Amino acid sequence: PEPGRCGHFVRRKGRFCRMVPAPGRRFCGEHGQEEEQNDRKRILCPLDPKHTVYEDQLQKHLKKCNSREKPKPVYYVQDINAGLKDVAEIPEKQVSLSSLSIEELQNLIIKLKKASNGLELHLKEQILSHQALQEALNDPKNGESAFKHLKQQASILGNMEKLHLLGPGRCFVEFGAGRGKLSHWVDVALQNVERVQFLLVERATTRFKVDGKHKRRDSIFERLQVDIQHLCLNKVPILEKTKLPVVGIGKHLCGAATDLALRCLVESYTPCCDGENEEPAAKRSRTATTGVAPDTAADHGKNTEDRKPVAGIVIALCCHHKCDWTHYVGREFFKSVGLGPVEFHYFQRMSSWATCGMRETTHKAFTSEESEDQPNDIEEHERTFSRTESGSDTLQGILTVEERKEIGCLCKRLIDHGRIEYLQQQGYKAALQYYTESAVSLENVLLTAVPSPSLIKQPTT
């Protein structure tokens, strides 16, 4: 063992424990049972069995254990953005794609093409850039992976600028923020702009965060460690105080997280209505789509007379195979074209055919380069390759690689179209576009939305 370190050899890791033992001790508290003449018994922590604790100190430990349940923040509202809680039509046991017969798979493809008929499937290419990232893009110190991320972030900012979303008096809410890189570049782009706030939503603790490095006094960075499913923006103290218009942003917001974020923005964050007798679009839709009683939903929209509507939404989409029918905002669209939860289940799995080849290659290329002490910029969707999702050998001889890719893209566009129709019903002008080259990222579709003029009218008095 290293000097001053624990003497316990961790066989699983092939090295000695690196914890520092108490003065005069050979082992740390975790491995103290190995020390001679130690008659104190250690047991597994009931809150987290990954570590142990002295039995006679259990009660004291439970009060300070990091795994203990912490008080919920004021903006935590259980399942406010979850959608339907109980969906009776979802089958109890869902058959995997590899278990389908050739005939069943062909019927699914026929349904997919029929439902997609007449939809705008050929997206326009809107690859833009922004001056804020030019220096970083031209820096030779950045490797290939960092360069790809910078190109995506530059295009996202360019699209935001085109929609006039980069300006003063805004609160930017980054969903699935991770290290907060997207908010960082938005802040750089707005370095001379007043009254700018950033809310970084991430359910997990994150290493190598960049938002803590900002030293500007006229911009505010605040992290909300909460699942999007339970986030009520109406109750976030800083938004209650400033009532700034919100811009929802996200880079590669995986699967169901996109649907949760959309519902969080346009339903639980309730804008004011246009007249005394007119019901807000979010309230009407919530009653019809999510099954939440109107009076319950209204409780989260109180005191919204001065609140301004969501100014815009800019989200780079990915991981459609992680979507969930319960959370999906486009259920009504699926039903309107004769589809339901069973077809949705298969289409979401088939959507991975569009990108699964890249996932396997990327995973192999980067596995050996990952380091515990270095920030890792590989996107989450590039780590989750699954041979079950790709179909592997099951589809050999039935569909070619190109056919699988085409069907996978079709599944993605169908799921995304449901999101577009949902936003349009909520009073937003929504669109999909390619925001970067496929060589930079195969997950290269950007969803944008801005409120229609009728939604931003002030209420009459």
Side-chain angles (χ1 to χ4, degrees):
E2 299 177 14
R5 302 290 178 171
C6 177
H8 174 79
F9 185 79
V10 186
R11 295 185 181 277
R12 180 173 58 87
K13 297 184 177 180
R15 60 168 174 78
F16 284 94
C17 173
R18 293 173 179 168
M19 297 295 289
V20 179
R25 298 282 188 179
R26 181 185 173 192
F27 297 96
C28 67
E30 186 70 20
H31 305 113
Q33 67 270 21
E34 299 182 19
E35 190 140 19
E36 297 179 4
Q37 298 179 351
N38 185 4
D39 55 356
R40 298 174 70 189
K41 182 181 179 182
R42 291 188 72 86
I43 61 174
L44 295 176
C45 173
L47 299 179
D48 181 5
K50 292 182 180 179
H51 66 273
T52 62
V53 59
Y54 283 117
E55 187 175 27
D56 56 4
Q57 290 186 340
L58 177 61
Q59 296 306 316
K60 181 180 179 181
H61 171 79
L62 292 178
K63 294 178 181 179
K64 61 180 182 179
C65 178
N66 289 333
S67 299
R68 70 190 186 281
E69 185 175 358
K70 299 176 178 63
K72 297 290 190 296
V74 65
Y75 46 79
Y76 180 99
V77 178
Q78 183 74 32
D79 293 329
I80 186 173
N81 304 313
L84 288 174
K85 296 182 180 179
D86 299 309
V87 184
E89 65 264 29
I90 294 183
E92 293 183 4
K93 187 177 182 180
Q94 295 174 328
V95 182
S96 64
L97 273 176
S98 58
S99 301
L100 295 178
S101 65
I102 297 177
E103 184 179 0
E104 288 173 324
L105 185 60
Q106 289 174 337
N107 287 336
L108 274 175
I109 295 173
I110 291 172
K111 285 185 177 181
L112 172 66
K113 292 183 177 179
K114 182 179 178 181
S116 304
N117 189 31
L119 300 182
E120 182 55 55
L121 301 174
H122 300 286
L123 308 183
K124 66 177 181 179
E125 194 174 83
Q126 195 156 283
I127 302 173
L128 305 176
S129 190
H130 196 278
Q131 186 178 359
L133 289 95
Q134 290 309 305
E135 183 178 346
L137 284 167
N138 296 325
D139 189 347
K141 294 181 181 178
N142 288 318
E144 182 181 357
S145 177
F147 180 71
K148 288 182 176 181
H149 285 279
L150 290 168
K151 287 197 70 173
Q152 294 174 66
Q153 289 154 346
S155 185
I156 291 174
L157 262 67
N159 277 276
M160 292 175 66
E161 187 173 50
K162 186 172 183 178
L163 293 171
H164 307 290
L165 296 178
L166 293 179
R170 296 276 194 274
C171 179
F172 296 90
V173 182
E174 183 179 357
F175 294 93
R179 296 172 58 198
K181 278 291 190 72
L182 184 56
S183 291
H184 162 77
W185 289 116
V186 173
D187 185 56
V188 172
L190 299 175
Q191 56 183 336
N192 297 319
V193 175
E194 297 179 348
R195 297 181 70 220
V196 177
Q197 300 169 350
F198 293 89
L199 294 177
L200 280 66
V201 182
E202 179 61 62
R203 65 182 178 183
T205 55
T206 308
R207 301 176 66 197
F208 307 110
K209 296 186 288 288
V210 298
D211 43 295
K213 299 179 181 179
H214 291 269
K215 298 181 179 180
R216 285 183 49 208
R217 296 182 180 179
D218 52 348
S219 64
I220 300 172
F221 275 74
E222 183 176 329
R223 278 196 174 255
L224 307 180
Q225 189 174 340
V226 61
D227 194 309
I228 305 171
Q229 181 170 328
H230 313 300
L231 172 61
C232 180
L233 287 177
N234 283 353
K235 295 179 177 291
V236 176
I238 194 171
L239 280 178
E240 284 188 316
K241 180 180 179 181
T242 61
K243 298 181 176 62
L244 291 178
V246 164
V247 177
I249 60 177
K251 178 173 175 284
H252 290 166
L253 195 56
C254 287
T258 293
D259 299 298
L260 296 173
L262 293 178
R263 192 175 283 111
C264 176
L265 289 166
V266 305
E267 289 192 46
S268 71
Y269 190 68
T270 314
C272 52
C273 56
D274 292 338
E276 293 180 1
N277 300 320
E278 184 175 354
E279 226 180 346
K283 186 175 177 181
R284 290 196 304 269
S285 175
R286 190 181 295 112
T287 306
T289 307
T290 66
V292 179
D295 56 341
T296 303
D299 290 341
H300 302 298
K302 289 181 179 178
N303 302 323
T304 60
E305 291 80 2
D306 298 326
R307 182 172 288 110
K308 299 178 182 179
V310 172
I313 301 171
V314 180
I315 295 176
L317 306 171
C318 84
C319 290
H320 294 72
H321 65 279
K322 290 187 177 181
C323 289
D324 186 283
W325 175 259
T326 304
H327 303 317
Y328 181 50
V329 296
R331 289 192 303 268
E332 293 304 316
F333 161 71
F334 256 64
K335 292 176 182 177
S336 71
V337 292
L339 302 175
V342 175
E343 290 83 8
F344 181 84
H345 165 71
Y346 290 122
F347 292 164
Q348 66 165 117
R349 310 313 292 177
M350 291 159 65
S351 69
S352 64
W353 295 353
T355 56
C356 59
M358 175 187 178
R359 286 197 201 124
E360 184 175 34
T361 304
T362 307
H363 177 77
K364 290 179 179 178
F366 283 94
T367 299
S368 61
E369 297 180 13
E370 292 181 12
S371 171
E372 182 178 82
D373 301 321
Q374 304 248 343
N376 185 7
D377 279 335
I378 306 171
E379 296 292 352
E380 180 185 357
H381 69 273
E382 294 175 354
R383 306 184 212 221
T384 55
F385 173 78
S386 168
R387 299 198 68 84
T388 303
E389 291 161 5
S390 71
S392 62
D393 299 332
T394 307
L395 298 171
Q396 296 298 328
I398 303 175
L399 298 169
T400 65
V401 173
E402 285 303 315
E403 287 174 333
R404 289 203 300 272
K405 181 180 177 181
E406 181 182 350
I407 292 170
C409 290
L410 204 57
C411 290
K412 285 176 175 287
R413 297 295 76 79
L414 190 68
I415 292 173
D416 290 339
H417 186 81
R419 291 164 168 166
I420 293 297
E421 284 214 355
Y422 165 80
L423 288 168
Q424 290 172 345
Q425 291 170 2
Q426 298 289 334
Y428 288 80
K429 294 174 60 178
L432 297 168
Q433 52 263 318
Y434 293 118
Y435 77 102
T436 192
E437 301 90 347
S438 58
V440 173
S441 174
L442 289 181
E443 299 282 17
N444 61 342
V445 174
L446 189 70
L447 182 152
T448 61
V450 291
S452 298
S454 60
L455 188 65
I456 58 177
K457 288 180 181 178
Q458 296 299 321
T460 56
T461 54

